[in-house]
Each structure stands twice: as C-alpha cells, then as structure tokens.
Amino acid sequence: TAIVCVLGAFTCLSFAVKGIPLAVAYALWGSFGIIITVLMGMILFGQKLNQKGWVGLSMLVLSIVLIKMA
C-alpha cells in the first residue's frame, strides 16, 4: 500500500512540474507532506507539538507562502 501511495505521489508531482519549475514543485510537495504528516499524527495518534515544533511548522508555512509569491 505504501509503495502505491508513493508512486501516486510522484505521478502527481510529475504533472505539477509541467506548470511550475521542478525546484518549486518539489519544495512545495515536501512541505505539504510534512504538514499533512503532523496533522495526521495529531488526529490519529493524539500527538502534540511543543513550542519549538509550532515555530518550525509556522516557518514552514511562511516559506510556502513566500515561494508561492515569488
């Protein structure tokens, strides 16, 4: 199942790079993956972020916004 998900993710990434540069697409793709992983950890396993975790996640979101604005 995991292999199918990874193959699906990279297939979607290949479609994304047709419209935006590879460096931007891959950076955004990786960032969204991190954010989704954090959210799923909170929802499924009740995990909590400490203050440093929230600062890091906020910086990641800010970097996504800045990349999209560039």
Side-chain angles (χ1 to χ4, degrees):
T1 303
I3 293 172
V4 172
C5 289
V6 170
L7 288 173
F10 279 102
T11 300
C12 291
L13 178 61
S14 71
F15 289 119
V17 297
K18 291 179 182 178
I20 57 177
L22 175 62
V24 174
Y26 193 74
L28 293 173
W29 202 260
S31 299
F32 286 133
I34 292 169
I35 292 168
I36 291 169
T37 301
V38 169
L39 292 175
M40 289 294 105
M42 292 174 152
I43 293 168
L44 297 175
F45 304 112
Q47 296 175 344
K48 306 284 185 210
L49 284 180
N50 60 20
Q51 186 176 9
K52 289 179 184 177
W54 282 111
V55 169
L57 197 59
S58 299
M59 291 172 64
L60 184 61
V61 171
L62 177 62
S63 69
I64 291 170
V65 171
L66 290 173
I67 286 173
K68 293 293 282 180
M69 290 173 47

